[in-house]
Amino acid sequence: MDQALIVFIAVAEKKHFTRAAEELHMTQPAVSQYIRALERTVGTRLLERDRKQVRLNKAGEIVYRHAKEIVGLYGRMQSLVDDLLHQASGRLAIGASYTFGEYALPRIIARLQSLYPSVKPAISIGNTKDISEAVAAGELDIGVVEGEFPHERLRIEPFAEDRMHVVAMAGHRLAQTERGRLGIDELADETWIVRESGSGTRKATESMFARFGFEPRSRMEFGSTQLIKESVEAGLGVSLLSGWAIRKELALGTLRVLDVAGTPVSRQFYVVIPAADFHTRATEVFRELLLREGAHP
């Protein structure tokens, strides 16, 4: 594999020649030489330099994106060859959207380690869009997401159902059992706390609003499920959250599920892998484990 690409990626991500050299255990002049050689090869400058840092220019952004893909492809090629001779082993880059990654994945990883101790998982947590794009770009071997993200370079497979509930703080006026089933219009004056755009939970919430023809008068947008739960517990508003994410809070009595007509809302979790003919043995065994044991929290 072209060492210049590895050096260029390090410089682009560290935004500094010296830091990149330290990471690669090289001298700074050697790093500079590799960058100059790559720029000669592509026929243009790739980095803009100032006294504090370097940054990618437009050409550099193009080269960086494709360099990451090339390095990822090389790594997978080597892993596939190794798999012909050995059992599942090596690094497995797993991406997961927040709900599954934070509340279900640890149990699956523990099971993976008990069965295949030579597999070394590296976990990234992000929203559905970011994880899917990282798998498509070859930066992750496999992903678990909360919603479909169609892409020609992905194979998408449902494997578990998620039931989502409208939740409020304990003692909320609408959580009293004698009130009976609520219509969603009764929540119009509540502040709805929602996830950020690109999140599978946000998509499910918007789909529920559209299905009911409902639009809350007030919203707050937060970037993590944990922050939303704590905000609901504090009485800042209500939210639609996964049953997987609220198990502890329901058991402790700090959150209450509101009995809203048309809920719980069901959605699917999906496994996403590159749409390729071959995958590493580690990827395949983890996928099989998800399909076999990942359907229940």
Side-chain angles (χ1 to χ4, degrees):
M1 181 170 45
D2 192 342
Q3 181 68 18
L5 293 181
I6 295 175
V7 173
F8 175 71
I9 289 170
V11 172
E13 293 179 349
K14 295 296 182 181
K15 298 182 172 60
H16 203 280
F17 278 76
T18 301
R19 296 192 193 107
E22 292 171 351
E23 179 178 89
L24 297 170
H25 305 290
M26 299 171 64
T27 65
Q28 184 173 331
V31 169
S32 299
Q33 184 175 350
Y34 273 114
I35 296 300
R36 286 195 297 270
L38 182 60
E39 289 179 330
R40 285 196 299 270
T41 298
V42 298
T44 187
R45 291 175 64 88
L46 302 174
L47 300 166
E48 301 298 331
R49 302 162 175 84
D50 60 35
R51 286 181 294 179
K52 293 185 177 181
Q53 65 177 21
V54 296
R55 64 182 185 276
L56 296 172
N57 58 25
K58 291 294 184 182
E61 290 174 359
I62 294 171
V63 173
Y64 172 75
R65 184 169 65 250
H66 287 83
K68 290 280 287 186
E69 185 173 347
I70 290 167
V71 170
L73 285 170
Y74 184 90
R76 284 198 298 279
M77 177 192 72
Q78 189 63 58
S79 295
L80 287 166
V81 172
D82 291 343
D83 284 347
L84 292 175
L85 306 174
H86 306 93
Q87 292 186 342
S89 62
R91 185 177 186 272
L92 176 64
I94 302 168
S97 53
Y98 287 97
T99 298
F100 193 89
E102 293 178 338
Y103 302 105
L105 186 59
R107 175 178 60 85
I108 305 298
I109 294 298
R111 180 64 172 155
L112 176 72
Q113 291 291 270
S114 70
L115 294 172
Y116 304 98
S118 295
V119 175
K120 305 303 179 186
I123 313 299
S124 298
I125 304 295
N127 65 34
T128 291
K129 178 176 181 293
D130 293 340
I131 295 300
S132 298
E133 289 180 343
V135 175
E139 297 170 11
L140 295 172
D141 297 308
I142 188 168
V144 181
V145 295
E146 300 163 13
E148 286 187 275
F149 188 80
H151 195 292
E152 61 182 6
R153 300 177 69 177
L154 291 177
R155 194 171 91 201
I156 304 171
E157 191 172 12
F159 76 97
E161 183 182 34
D162 184 23
R163 292 166 67 82
M164 306 185 69
H165 306 269
V166 179
V167 294
M169 67 179 291
H172 191 282
R173 61 183 179 84
L174 295 177
Q176 308 309 311
T177 55
E178 63 269 14
R179 295 187 63 94
R181 174 152 287 199
L182 303 169
I184 197 167
D185 289 342
E186 295 181 71
L187 300 173
D189 291 330
E190 299 291 329
T191 295
W192 282 78
I193 306 176
V194 300
R195 284 285 306 279
E196 79 286 357
S197 181
S199 158
T201 298
R202 172 64 173 270
K203 182 178 180 181
T205 302
E206 297 292 352
S207 295
M208 182 186 72
F209 289 163
R211 179 159 56 88
F212 289 131
F214 173 78
E215 183 59 39
R217 297 187 180 94
S218 175
R219 295 190 189 206
M220 290 184 180
E221 181 178 300
F222 292 157
S224 97
T225 297
Q226 187 62 38
L227 179 57
I228 290 177
K229 290 194 297 182
E230 293 182 7
S231 299
V232 173
E233 286 177 334
L236 290 180
V238 301
S239 188
L240 181 73
L241 291 176
S242 165
W244 297 46
I246 59 175
R247 287 176 297 151
K248 289 183 180 180
E249 289 76 13
L250 294 181
L252 292 171
T254 58
L255 289 179
R256 291 287 301 275
V257 170
L258 299 184
D259 186 11
V260 178
T263 66
V265 174
S266 293
R267 65 174 178 177
Q268 292 286 326
F269 283 121
Y270 297 86
V271 180
V272 293
I273 58 176
D277 292 332
F278 300 99
H279 301 94
T280 66
R281 178 65 179 148
T283 299
E284 291 292 354
V285 298
F286 181 66
R287 171 185 164 274
E288 291 166 4
L289 190 61
L290 283 170
L291 295 179
R292 186 172 67 248
E293 300 187 17
H296 303 288

